[in-house]
Amino acid sequence: MRSLFGNRRRAAEAPGGAEDAAPSERCTVQVRVLEARGLMPMDTGAFFGVGAADPYLVLQLGDRTHKTKKQKGTLEPVWEEEFSFRGVGEGQQLVVRCFDWDRFTSDDPMGQVVIPTLEMAGVPQWCALQPMAGCDQPRGELRLACHAMFPPDTAAALKVAMHRKKQQAAQALREREEREAAAAAAAAAADDDDDDDDASVQLTDAQLQAQR
């Protein structure tokens, strides 16, 4: 018995033992569900028209779940809803699954997004839907803002802060690229209008000469 307790004590006092092992940091996670775009049409046919969906989201983090309201007849839903999860470990992941609501049959899966807790920096992000059970080829993106609030001055809080800087830089780059693409499209449209005007002027001159 003395040898057994002695071994336990030496293990606890050794580096990496029971007394040195730091427990996993716990935090509160706040999730803002903003919107989605480019979702796959799920309701098609003569009754539904060209195709739409009635999307809603199910958020799962550990053994806790939340669900958004369903948005009727749209592929560009806007939710603007907020949820919170408490006592979340730094190694956990948020799973957000998208479904199409059906009145008479089971709801159809449309894809999912998985976000690790340490990457939840509070910056709104467009997240492409990934395959899930029952949906091999999803389409569209979800816009989410997830924030893992760890105790300050902890290793987990530092990692979240580092991800925030990366996400802010990536967001600024994406917004700049979108502005440049929009400007290029506007310039191309203006050039097309100028070409149409030139063609109209040339046609008018030709008509005048024909009349002479």
Side-chain angles (χ1 to χ4, degrees):
M1 292 296 290
R2 180 179 301 174
S3 175
L4 177 61
F5 286 117
N7 290 337
R8 289 181 179 178
R9 183 175 181 179
R10 285 192 295 271
E13 294 174 349
E19 291 183 356
D20 287 343
S24 174
E25 295 290 351
R26 296 283 169 176
C27 70
T28 296
V29 170
Q30 290 186 342
V31 182
R32 291 173 55 211
V33 179
L34 302 173
E35 57 186 320
R37 64 184 180 187
L39 297 181
M40 181 180 298
M42 303 297 291
D43 303 326
T44 59
F47 181 77
F48 298 104
V50 296
D54 304 320
Y56 68 91
L57 305 179
V58 176
L59 294 75
Q60 182 175 3
L61 188 47
D63 58 356
R64 296 171 292 278
T65 60
H66 293 291
K67 185 168 73 171
T68 69
K69 298 177 181 178
K70 65 177 180 288
Q71 300 295 322
K72 296 285 290 183
T74 179
L75 302 178
E76 312 283 331
V78 176
W79 285 285
E80 292 288 350
E81 298 184 44
E82 295 189 13
F83 306 96
S84 63
F85 300 85
R86 299 184 182 277
V88 178
E90 60 183 83
Q92 293 184 277
Q93 296 179 326
L94 171 69
V95 181
V96 184
R97 297 183 177 90
C98 186
F99 293 91
D100 171 50
W101 177 83
D102 288 315
R103 182 181 297 275
F104 301 110
T105 60
S106 59
D107 297 346
D108 299 317
M110 301 178 69
Q112 69 177 5
V113 168
V114 180
I115 304 175
T117 301
L118 291 177
E119 296 181 11
M120 299 178 185
V123 180
Q125 297 282 306
W126 283 106
C127 306
L129 287 169
Q130 302 298 321
M132 60 179 289
C135 181
D136 296 330
Q137 296 180 331
R139 186 191 306 173
E141 298 175 292
L142 304 180
R143 188 164 180 253
L144 308 168
C146 306
H147 190 193
M149 295 178 290
F150 287 97
D153 301 326
T154 61
L158 178 60
K159 292 176 183 178
V160 171
M162 293 175 61
H163 275 288
R164 181 181 298 110
K165 292 181 179 180
K166 293 179 181 179
Q167 291 174 4
Q168 288 173 338
Q171 183 182 27
L173 176 61
R174 181 168 184 168
E175 290 176 352
R176 187 183 71 183
E177 292 175 344
E178 290 178 349
R179 288 195 300 268
E180 292 175 349
D191 290 341
D192 291 342
D193 291 340
D194 291 341
D195 292 341
D196 293 340
D197 293 340
D198 292 342
S200 299
V201 171
Q202 293 174 0
L203 180 61
T204 301
D205 292 342
Q207 290 174 343
L208 291 174
Q209 291 177 2
Q211 291 177 357
R212 294 175 183 174

